[in-house]
Amino acid sequence: MARFLFRWFALALLAVLIVWTAPVRGQHGATNGEWRFFSGDNGATRYSPLDQVTRDNVKNLKVAWTWKSDNFSSPPEIRNQATPLMVNGLLYFPAGSHRAVVAIDAGTGETRWVWRIDEGARWEKSPRRNSGRGVAYWTDGSGDERVFTITPGFQLAALNAKTGQQVPGFGQGGIVDLFKELGVDFDPTGTIGNSSPPVVCRDVVIVGPAQGEASRPKSKKMTKADIMAFDVRTGKKRWVFHTISRPGEFGADTWLNGSNEYTGNAGAWTTFTADNELGYVYLPVEAATGDYYGGQRPGANLFSSTLVALDASTGKRIWYYQLIHHDIWDYDIVTSPVLLDVKVDGKPVKLVIEATKQAFLYVFDRVTGKPIWPIEEKPVPQTDAPGEWTSPTQPFPTKPPAFDRQGITTNDLIDWTPELRQKAIEALKPYRIGPLYRSGSLAEAPDGTKGTIVLPGNLGGANWESTAADPETGYYYVSSMTRPTRIALVKPTPAESDVDYIGLALNPPQPDVEGLPFLKPPYGRITAYDMNRGEIVWQKANGETPPAIKNHPKLKDLNIPKTGGNWRSSILVTKTMLLVGEGWGGPPMFRAMDKATGEILWETQIPAGSTSGLPMTYMHKGKQYIVIAAGSQEARIPAQLVAWALPDTVTRPVSQARSDK
């Protein structure tokens, strides 16, 4: 008996020690060789533990099949931003400007079923008339399997995953009309839509709205982009969260002069995430109307440009953190909040990590909302734009360090030759430059300047394609580009807008230096962080030097190092490597990198053009596939899915090692 008790005590003590010393692994990435969520798991890690494709055999990858979307739009869609799901041997994804949902065979690419509806004027006037970025999947484990999609005309559809037919018991014949659920007293057609898949957490499906670009809003009175949740079985609305605080609600005092009553936008247009164990959903809320001028909405403007944690079942606000007070830079929160479990100072912590356009990582305890490392409110430059309001401070993380450049000084200008440097200085003289959060200015200002050039610009920094994480190591990866924006304000005509000032254009012209960028390289990069320590592990220029620089006559005798490209790359992490698509508008390249060092292990040219979606991977009948959407604007190649796999002669069994060991 004593021996038994001693053995029991020893085993119990060993179990405690294992739990105490082992890394926390709450987010596992994709499981069971499938890809059931837009980002692999609901925590947006974009990680798969599959390891049939390794650093040693990745060079043997060959195109296994392609799926083409030529006939899903007229004219054919060129840029499909979707990431397919893979469940039970089928891939599910949207295609074409009507956002048809397609199911194809995971091993051959053969189409199994297609669903599509005609939305008439709702589609014709939709602000997001495209294929969107993906769909969501749900099952109760007893045979009820559903695929959820949000149409361009803003309807939520539930489809039978096996047949593609609408689920009769959900909403009205399988569809919930989201216009009716908004609770507005006007026709919202053309003012609100969607671009990203819904999120399913526990027994609710949650919808994030998207609207048209707001650099030149037609009015200060815009549709409010509330977040809505519906019962996953019946489609009945469960709750709504007001991203713009209504009169009398918490945060209403951050909207001065009653501006919360008419201001709109502030949706969650990018993909968001959920912790199924906690039952929390994390919303990356965008800016309010408009992008570059907010004189009509003075105040900090909760919950615009805010990371918000809600109870997924009730919509109750758990915690929030506003990342930008009174956003007038179009610095929407654009990346999925990534959920990662690590050890900080030896203690297990459940993180939520938000990468931003302005090249910061904001890192919080996702249970409490407390910053993992201090975030300081620092004074920022104030505006002189007529009628504008600027926050005296903005939140600056003390750690981790920024992943891209912030602000512009003369030290940031090209210096390949003294002549080019001087020309860069001269080229910038008509414009205002300065530190991060210098506000936009008049296109014809009293001091003679023609607007402000800000860095990062309105496309980032980071964007929706940019992030992934490795739950095995606690590493976090972000791709970014060094691309400035000129914010130049002009007074609109009454026919254009009732806002006092609007942006000159979506992308007004910027100075260059004889066809060269005025900033030093790199122009694109990938940064790897160890989130256990909040430190950069490595940072690499992403992409080769563009031909306009490589072949420039003023640089022909110089040894220009690899500059990277000015496009947004997409990332996938596996157990063995980092897989990177060069990015839309860049060369049609797909490559594998050593995830510990950034060393390039392999690269190939994509037959369909530039990557437009996010890569994903899965195991089907003993073979690992890697799939990405691609197309070419320049060559007019319609959107395709391209799948790679190892030839049968070089495949090897997948490891049985678990992602949480």
Side-chain angles (χ1 to χ4, degrees):
M1 183 67 177
R3 181 179 297 177
F4 172 80
L5 289 174
F6 176 80
R7 181 178 298 173
W8 178 88
F9 177 80
L11 290 173
L13 179 60
L14 178 61
V16 169
L17 289 173
I18 290 173
V19 170
W20 179 255
T21 58
V24 179
R25 293 290 176 253
Q27 296 296 322
H28 304 295
T31 57
N32 300 321
E34 297 187 324
W35 193 271
R36 292 194 170 203
F37 302 87
F38 175 80
S39 294
D41 59 16
N42 243 359
T45 59
R46 300 202 51 74
Y47 172 82
S48 172
L50 296 179
D51 65 351
Q52 186 180 85
V53 180
T54 70
R55 58 179 296 137
D56 296 323
N57 65 22
V58 65
K59 63 181 181 294
N60 297 318
L61 283 176
K62 302 295 181 185
V63 173
W65 54 259
T66 60
W67 183 91
K68 299 183 178 182
S69 69
D70 301 45
N71 298 323
F72 277 76
S73 289
S74 181
E77 184 177 50
I78 301 298
R79 186 182 185 186
N80 183 308
Q81 300 179 7
T83 301
L85 307 186
M86 188 283 207
V87 185
N88 296 328
L90 290 180
L91 297 185
Y92 302 100
F93 57 93
S97 59
H98 287 275
R99 206 170 295 176
V101 178
V102 185
I104 67 175
D105 186 282
T108 65
E110 177 187 356
T111 300
R112 292 292 187 86
W113 58 253
V114 176
W115 173 89
R116 176 189 181 278
I117 58 172
D118 185 354
E119 297 187 285
R122 291 175 72 136
W123 175 80
E124 292 170 1
K125 297 180 180 180
S126 169
R128 303 281 172 165
R129 199 166 60 184
N130 54 41
S131 57
R133 298 192 178 94
V135 297
Y137 172 85
W138 171 86
T139 182
D140 64 359
S142 67
D144 188 355
E145 298 179 68
R146 302 183 182 187
V147 172
F148 291 96
T149 187
I150 307 169
T151 68
F154 209 43
Q155 301 186 81
L156 174 64
L159 310 176
N160 182 307
K162 298 174 184 176
T163 66
Q165 296 177 339
Q166 294 168 204
V167 177
F170 185 87
Q172 297 295 316
I175 293 179
V176 172
D177 186 335
L178 298 175
F179 281 176
K180 294 180 180 179
E181 302 296 340
L182 283 173
V184 297
D185 57 2
F186 59 89
D187 181 2
T189 302
T191 69
I192 191 166
N194 164 272
S195 56
S196 295
V199 167
V200 179
C201 183
R202 297 189 174 179
D203 61 349
V204 295
V205 54
I206 306 159
V207 174
Q211 289 153 295
E213 67 86 14
S215 65
R216 302 168 64 84
K218 295 181 178 179
S219 175
K220 65 182 180 181
K221 299 178 181 179
M222 297 293 286
T223 303
K224 291 175 169 57
D226 295 333
I227 310 301
M228 298 182 288
F230 302 87
D231 187 280
V232 77
R233 293 178 175 85
T234 66
K236 181 180 179 181
K237 186 158 71 171
R238 293 275 290 268
W239 54 260
V240 59
F241 177 75
H242 295 154
T243 58
I244 294 177
S245 304
R246 306 300 201 266
E249 293 181 346
F250 178 86
D253 59 346
T254 67
W255 298 84
L256 306 182
N257 301 341
S259 55
N260 55 331
E261 296 185 27
Y262 54 77
T263 302
N265 291 86
W269 63 260
T270 193
T271 52
F272 49 97
T273 50
D275 186 318
N276 289 10
E277 295 177 3
L278 292 174
Y280 292 176
V281 60
Y282 300 89
L283 306 177
V285 183
E286 65 157 346
T289 315
D291 287 346
Y292 304 127
Y293 184 82
Q296 76 285 351
R297 52 170 171 88
N301 305 150
L302 283 178
F303 292 89
S304 73
S305 301
T306 301
L307 181 62
V308 184
L310 303 178
D311 184 299
S313 296
T314 65
K316 177 184 176 182
R317 175 172 43 83
I318 304 299
W319 60 262
Y320 75 94
Y321 204 101
Q322 189 173 48
L323 306 189
I324 309 165
H325 313 312
H326 190 82
D327 187 351
I328 49 174
W329 298 271
D330 192 21
Y331 281 160
D332 294 348
I333 305 178
V334 290
T335 65
S336 301
V338 173
L339 311 186
L340 188 65
D341 296 346
V342 299
K343 282 192 172 182
V344 177
D345 297 328
K347 297 179 180 178
V349 183
K350 294 178 177 292
L351 302 184
V352 56
I353 308 162
E354 187 60 67
T356 65
K357 284 186 180 180
Q358 58 268 40
F360 281 132
L361 290 190
Y362 290 89
V363 187
F364 305 95
D365 182 312
R366 70 176 181 269
V367 180
T368 66
K370 180 181 178 181
I372 299 299
W373 297 284
I375 299 174
E376 299 177 349
E377 289 284 340
K378 293 184 178 182
V380 294
Q382 297 298 287
T383 186
D384 65 357
E388 181 60 279
W389 186 99
T390 36
S391 174
T393 64
Q394 293 290 349
F396 285 73
T398 59
K399 196 177 181 180
F403 52 82
D404 214 307
R405 272 181 287 174
Q406 299 170 316
I408 302 173
T409 71
T410 54
N411 291 332
D412 296 306
L413 306 184
I414 56 172
D415 56 1
W416 288 318
T417 70
E419 176 193 4
L420 291 174
R421 175 173 171 76
Q422 188 56 43
K423 287 187 176 183
I425 293 173
E426 293 297 321
L428 285 184
K429 280 186 176 180
Y431 308 97
R432 298 182 185 185
I433 60 173
L436 184 65
Y437 296 123
R438 180 153 194 185
S439 58
S441 54
L442 298 181
E444 299 293 338
D447 63 1
T449 57
K450 300 181 180 299
T452 303
I453 298 179
V454 300
L455 184 72
N458 61 352
L459 298 178
N463 216 291
W464 66 271
E465 309 99 324
S466 292
T467 61
D470 187 338
E472 299 280 350
T473 62
Y475 277 25
Y476 176 92
Y477 302 90
V478 57
S479 66
S480 62
M481 61 181 182
T482 305
R483 182 170 177 168
T485 294
R486 176 188 170 203
I487 302 180
L489 303 174
V490 295
K491 198 163 187 65
T493 66
E496 287 181 299
S497 179
D498 62 14
V499 178
D500 289 341
Y501 289 91
I502 58 178
L504 182 63
L506 182 59
N507 288 300
Q510 298 183 49
D512 63 23
V513 182
E514 297 191 20
L516 295 169
F518 62 81
L519 291 172
K520 295 176 182 176
Y523 304 117
R525 65 193 81 196
I526 295 178
T527 305
Y529 290 88
D530 182 347
M531 296 309 299
N532 300 281
R533 299 180 291 130
E535 297 175 357
I536 292 176
V537 180
W538 56 262
Q539 187 175 72
K540 301 285 187 179
N542 181 47
E544 298 299 327
T545 303
I549 298 174
K550 187 183 298 184
N551 302 326
H552 198 281
K554 292 288 181 70
L555 305 177
K556 63 180 180 179
D557 296 324
L558 301 178
N559 182 21
I560 304 297
K562 186 166 74 169
T563 67
N566 214 197
W567 35 77
R568 308 194 310 244
S569 298
S570 53
I571 304 175
L572 166 68
V573 191
T574 73
K575 193 174 188 68
T576 59
M577 69 193 78
L578 194 69
L579 293 161
V580 179
E582 188 80 353
W584 184 250
M589 300 301 296
F590 192 58
R591 60 178 58 95
M593 303 173 72
D594 186 304
K595 61 183 182 179
T597 66
E599 172 195 359
I600 295 177
L601 306 173
W602 164 84
E603 57 185 9
T604 188
Q605 185 161 324
I606 304 170
S610 302
T611 56
S612 56
L614 302 177
M616 52 84 73
T617 188
Y618 57 89
M619 184 68 66
H620 180 66
K621 295 184 178 179
K623 182 179 289 191
Q624 183 180 353
Y625 292 83
I626 298 165
V627 176
I628 196 166
S632 175
Q633 191 75 43
E634 183 177 299
R636 304 304 298 169
I637 299 175
Q640 301 180 22
L641 291 183
V642 182
W644 287 271
L646 296 171
D648 292 336
T649 55
V650 295
T651 55
R652 66 179 183 81
V654 65
S655 168
Q656 297 302 307
R658 293 180 48 171
S659 63
D660 58 339
K661 75 173 183 180

